[in-house]
Amino acid sequence: MTETLQGRVRRIGAALAPALLLLLLVFIDLLPLGGGRLGSTMPLLTVVATYYFALRVPGAVPPLALFAIGLLQDALTGGPPGLGAVLLVGVHGAVVSQRRVLSRGSFVVEWAGLVVITLGAALMSWVLASAYYGAPLDPGALAIAVLLTLAIYPAAVWALARFQRRFARVA
Amino acid sequence: MNAPSGRMVRMAAPLRAAVQRSALVLLIGAALALMVIGKVDEDLARRVRLIATDVAAPLLAVLAEPVAVGRGAVAEARALLLLREENLRLAAEVERLSQWQAVARRLEQENRSYRELLNFVEEPAPSFVSARLIAEAGGPFVRAAIVASGRHDGVLRGQAVVTSDGLVGHVVEVGERASRILLLTDLNSRIPVRLESSRFRAILTGDNTETLRLLFLPGNAEIAVGERVVTSGHGGLLPPGIPIGVIGAIDDAGAVVVPFVDGERLEFVRILRFEPPRLAPGIARALGETAASGD
């Protein structure tokens, strides 16, 4: 049976949806929400989505797409070029290597996995950023970002699961 | 086509896993290499950032619109809730400022006569471009913002960015339609400042936190909590006298400055088109002649 053009467009759109969502999250991370004085701290939304897709929808966002999205994030935030790419590809790699353990456990295990992987990723990015700028950076903003990331995970899972169901139905 | 044998499948799975692992290692290696390249060739990294910012600016502007509406609604609701308190505060402020107005008028008159006596060359008042904030790179390692005005609107690198409260930062990258502002609080921000009353000069730096630090204060400088910090104008990039903040604390490492600008109200900013004052023609001519005779 030959696939109609509309069907093919929908299928390709559904396949690209997770990567496009991550791209949108890069932009949402940059929105001027105006919290605090001169520069608010946002949760690491792209890390949450990368963790979720790597764990629950393997292959939804290929590492090359994560690399490109990380680079775009660095270019837009003005941070060290390559740092975002290391972070996202690193999180993806860590989840893939531990998927058996993380996916068989309960939601608490999944959340604990996020805690461990996010803390590891944050530590790694802090070391790399400090090396890049040539001075140990204040870890306060990063600590807040990590705490926010961990706190929003249940809500993020709910939203991402709805999103996933929607694009799975289309595909 | 024959179905793959069980042996082939057993061999293919570890092979695929090894290829995937190698791909991840390669990508992480490439990202680390990009970090090194970005550090060595900062101009290249800046050009890439500019292209990305210019391309993303229209989308950022669209996404920032509903956020601005939401922030406006929250501010409006808060103002309504605090209407009575705000009214009382404003009445007290009007009374205090009326007294200051009389003093300011007298001082302005006095200043004018002194300037006429000394034949003082007036500094040109800077013109400005009003720009809308469309992104705030509030990442853990950077304090920057993107505004929807660029070279097309006359924005230049190094120009000061202010609000009615005081200095926000300065322009570090200028695209065709968007520019990047390095906020005062960023680790890489260095602003020449002066303490308003004691007139001591220093360098104000950010450290990615919400406060700022004073560096290179003279050893004999007497600093006090509550003293205002303003731009000194040294270096010729920023106009002198722009309010920045107030000394909030003094510790072993020096003085901590709390910026005046409130991030919650940061929606529109002014980019100052400041030209440093030129030397009076006579002095410039004399200096030119001295330089020529020295050659």
Side-chain angles (χ1 to χ4, degrees), chain A residues 1-156:
Chain A
M1 196 178 78
T2 52
E3 193 182 16
T4 61
L5 180 68
Q6 195 187 2
R8 193 181 297 172
V9 169
R10 283 165 72 105
R11 193 172 49 78
I12 293 171
L16 291 176
L20 291 176
L21 176 73
L22 246 92
L23 205 59
L24 182 67
L25 291 178
V26 170
F27 286 89
I28 289 175
D29 240 344
L30 289 166
L31 288 180
L33 298 175
R37 305 187 82 90
L38 288 182
S40 51
T41 304
M42 287 280 282
L44 309 167
L45 296 177
T46 47
V47 168
V48 172
T50 302
Y51 181 86
Y52 176 87
F53 285 123
L55 186 64
R56 295 203 185 185
V57 201
V61 191
L64 194 61
L66 290 173
F67 179 81
I69 289 165
L71 285 185
L72 177 72
Q73 193 167 17
D74 296 330
L76 291 178
T77 58
L83 185 64
V86 173
L87 190 71
L88 297 188
V89 176
V91 167
H92 176 86
V95 177
V96 167
S97 68
Q98 300 301 320
R99 193 187 288 133
R100 270 188 205 164
V101 181
L102 295 171
S103 59
R104 280 183 191 164
S106 61
F107 180 73
V108 176
V109 174
E110 185 180 324
W111 203 353
L114 179 75
V115 173
V116 173
I117 289 174
T118 307
L119 284 176
L123 182 67
M124 180 191 67
S125 56
W126 180 81
V127 170
L128 287 174
S130 296
Y132 183 85
Y133 290 117
L137 300 178
D138 185 279
L142 183 61
I144 293 170
V146 167
L147 287 176
L148 288 173
T149 305
L150 302 177
I152 65 157
Y153 191 64

Side-chain angles (χ1 to χ4, degrees), chain B residues 217-242:
Chain B
L217 262 172
N220 59 342
E222 288 169 12
I223 48 177
V225 172
E227 180 151 19
R228 281 162 55 99
V229 178
V230 298
T231 52
S232 70
H234 290 96
L237 276 177
L238 308 178
I242 303 175

Side-chain angles (χ1 to χ4, degrees), chain B:
Chain B
M1 202 174 79
N2 292 336
S5 68
R7 195 175 162 192
M8 275 177 74
V9 170
R10 276 200 303 277
M11 279 172 66
L15 190 69
R16 199 169 54 234
V19 169
Q20 280 174 351
R21 265 199 305 275
S22 310
L24 287 178
V25 172
L26 271 175
L27 286 175
I28 290 177
L32 291 173
L34 281 174
M35 271 182 86
V36 175
I37 293 169
K39 184 72 183 165
V40 173
D41 191 347
E42 286 187 351
D43 197 46
L44 176 70
R46 194 174 55 80
R47 281 206 302 273
V48 171
R49 276 200 298 268
L50 269 179
I51 294 168
T53 309
D54 254 353
V55 171
L59 181 57
L60 284 169
V62 169
L63 289 174
E65 195 66 48
V67 174
V69 172
R71 282 175 65 179
V74 170
E76 193 72 23
R78 195 181 292 170
L80 280 171
L81 280 173
L82 302 171
L83 206 58
R84 197 181 129 74
E85 256 176 61
E86 186 71 359
N87 202 16
L88 288 172
R89 193 184 65 79
L90 287 175
E93 198 165 309
V94 165
E95 198 177 318
R96 193 172 58 83
L97 290 178
S98 305
Q99 290 166 8
W100 270 105
Q101 192 184 35
V103 176
R105 280 201 176 134
R106 187 171 53 76
L107 289 174
E108 189 188 16
Q109 187 54 47
E110 227 174 83
N111 255 324
R112 197 177 297 141
S113 24
Y114 286 144
R115 280 176 180 167
E116 277 168 17
L117 278 173
L118 294 168
N119 204 15
F120 186 80
V121 181
E122 289 278 356
E123 286 182 6
S127 60
F128 59 84
V129 179
S130 292
R132 188 159 73 94
L133 202 79
I134 54 170
E136 198 182 316
F141 308 122
V142 185
R143 298 282 151 160
I146 298 172
V147 290
S149 297
R151 201 173 296 119
H152 181 263
D153 309 289
V155 178
L156 295 173
R157 201 174 163 192
Q159 287 176 332
V161 182
V162 300
T163 66
S164 52
D165 295 329
L167 189 70
V168 173
H170 67 281
V171 178
V172 282
E173 286 164 11
V174 186
E176 204 51 48
R177 307 245 167 213
S179 309
R180 183 182 300 277
I181 299 165
L182 192 72
L183 300 178
L184 285 173
T185 43
D186 188 89
L187 181 78
N188 291 308
S189 170
R190 301 279 185 279
I191 308 285
V193 295
R194 194 186 277 287
L195 303 186
E196 199 175 48
S197 348
S198 59
R199 313 302 292 163
F200 285 111
R201 281 161 51 181
I203 298 289
L204 190 71
T205 71
D207 57 3
N208 288 355
T209 66
E210 292 192 345
T211 54
L212 314 164
R213 280 213 167 259
L214 279 180
L215 295 182
F216 306 118
L217 262 172
N220 59 342
E222 288 169 12
I223 48 177
V225 172
E227 180 151 19
R228 281 162 55 99
V229 178
V230 298
T231 52
S232 70
H234 290 96
L237 276 177
L238 308 178
I242 303 175
I244 295 179
V246 64
I247 295 181
I250 298 165
D251 57 22
D252 295 339
V256 178
V257 176
V258 181
F260 285 133
V261 174
D262 186 353
E264 283 190 27
R265 290 169 53 194
L266 212 58
E267 193 183 339
F268 283 94
V269 292
R270 275 180 290 169
I271 302 174
L272 300 184
R273 289 166 166 164
F274 172 69
E275 279 183 40
R278 295 197 182 94
L279 291 171
I283 301 173
R285 213 169 22 250
L287 283 174
E289 280 164 13
T290 314
S293 62
D295 284 343

